[in-house]
Amino acid sequence: MGKKPTKNSSGRGYRDLTVKVKTAKGRKISSTNWLQRQLNDPYVKRAQADGYRGRAAYKILELDDKFRFLLPGARIVDLGCAPGGWLQVAVKRANTLGERKSKAQGYVLGVDLQEVDPIPGAEVHQLDFMEDDADLKVREWLNGKADVVMSDMAASASGHKQTDHLRIIALCEAAAYFAFDVLEDGGTFVAKVLAGGAEGELQKLLKARFTKVANVKPPASRSDSSEKFVVATGFKGSENAKE
């Protein structure tokens, strides 16, 4: 017995509320399942309606609603910024276009290995943040230091859960060391990690250099995903770090 069809809002005919995807020849079942999940994901639909470049925009929105680090006037760096959803959120909240006349005007900088389509209010550069002089370039573009360094980067999946976990922890640690070089005292570091038991050293590293370190899974993060986000606030500066 199939799902009872539901009358649509226009009153013309009936449709099934769940979009189903047929397994095409040559497409893996896992790919079909992913596509079906995307088509039925409410955050994907919201992103399309709100003009965001991906559902990930709601993750940073929810994190900022809780911790309030994307403030008007803030200088923000987004590492691995493609496709640009986090940049879109940062531009609005930091007031980089000066749309809120009574608020300070911020600056948003995105860097990524690949070319990213322009986003009004953000400066985007094609750059490997792990290059030796990447921090110097970023500070030159900022004309100073950053108030926020954020990253939604994920290493390429290998299909092996433990390997993927170690890779993303290593990527997050690299982003953290980059943040130490470019953050203003009191600044904030936000990054994606995967839960899996190997993040102890990362937590220790961040707690030595920030006043508070929180681990959060925002509502927009899929319930079946092991991803979470670390939000480290109150950067102490390298000279004040306690190893």
Side-chain angles (χ1 to χ4, degrees), residues 70-71 73-78 81 84 86-97 105-111 119-125 141-142 148 150:
L70 299 178
L71 301 173
R75 294 161 294 173
I76 300 162
V77 179
D78 185 2
C81 64
W86 279 30
L87 288 177
Q88 289 176 296
V89 173
V91 161
K92 189 170 185 63
R93 297 215 164 178
N95 194 37
T96 67
L97 292 171
Q105 192 168 345
Y107 178 86
V108 172
L109 172 68
V111 299
I119 292 175
E123 182 177 341
V124 182
H125 290 271
W141 292 328
L142 288 174
V148 179
M150 57 187 192

Side-chain angles (χ1 to χ4, degrees), residues 51-78:
Y52 289 124
R53 293 187 180 180
R55 70 186 306 286
Y58 297 101
K59 298 175 188 177
I60 197 66
L61 276 167
E62 291 165 353
L63 290 171
D64 186 51
D65 284 345
K66 184 176 178 67
F67 294 97
R68 302 300 301 149
F69 49 86
L70 299 178
L71 301 173
R75 294 161 294 173
I76 300 162
V77 179
D78 185 2

Side-chain angles (χ1 to χ4, degrees), residues 34-240:
W34 179 87
L35 181 57
Q36 182 163 319
R37 184 174 65 175
Q38 284 292 103
L39 291 172
N40 292 287
D41 189 324
Y43 280 101
V44 171
K45 295 174 182 178
R46 279 180 63 188
Q48 292 169 345
D50 293 343
Y52 289 124
R53 293 187 180 180
R55 70 186 306 286
Y58 297 101
K59 298 175 188 177
I60 197 66
L61 276 167
E62 291 165 353
L63 290 171
D64 186 51
D65 284 345
K66 184 176 178 67
F67 294 97
R68 302 300 301 149
F69 49 86
L70 299 178
L71 301 173
R75 294 161 294 173
I76 300 162
V77 179
D78 185 2
L79 301 178
C81 64
W86 279 30
L87 288 177
Q88 289 176 296
V89 173
V91 161
K92 189 170 185 63
R93 297 215 164 178
N95 194 37
T96 67
L97 292 171
E99 294 173 329
R100 288 175 285 174
K101 302 299 182 185
S102 61
K103 301 290 185 180
Q105 192 168 345
Y107 178 86
V108 172
L109 172 68
V111 299
D112 200 283
L113 287 172
Q114 61 181 292
E115 190 172 347
V116 179
D117 290 337
I119 292 175
E123 182 177 341
V124 182
H125 290 271
Q126 198 167 355
L127 173 74
D128 182 351
F129 81 93
M130 293 189 190
E131 290 179 3
D132 289 341
D133 61 346
D135 59 317
L136 299 178
K137 290 179 179 178
V138 165
R139 288 171 66 165
E140 182 180 344
W141 292 328
L142 288 174
N143 194 28
K145 291 189 174 183
D147 298 301
V148 179
V149 172
M150 57 187 192
S151 164
D152 191 31
M153 292 184 293
S156 298
S158 69
H160 186 266
K161 188 174 181 180
Q162 289 179 317
T163 300
D164 291 340
H165 173 64
L166 292 172
R167 284 179 176 176
I168 198 168
I169 292 297
L171 189 60
C172 188
E173 284 187 359
Y177 277 110
F178 179 87
F180 301 159
D181 289 334
V182 303
L183 271 179
E184 192 73 77
D185 286 1
T188 298
F189 174 65
V190 181
K192 177 163 64 182
V193 295
L194 295 181
E199 59 268 38
E201 285 302 311
L202 173 63
Q203 296 291 321
K204 181 180 177 182
L205 179 70
L206 294 176
K207 287 177 180 178
R209 289 174 167 82
F210 292 87
T211 304
K212 289 186 178 181
V213 178
N215 296 280
V216 187
K217 188 176 181 68
S221 183
R222 290 187 172 109
S223 59
D224 61 351
S225 169
S226 61
E227 75 172 11
K228 62 181 180 179
F229 290 83
V230 59
V231 181
T233 56
F235 181 57
K236 301 173 185 177
S238 297
E239 65 276 8
N240 297 320

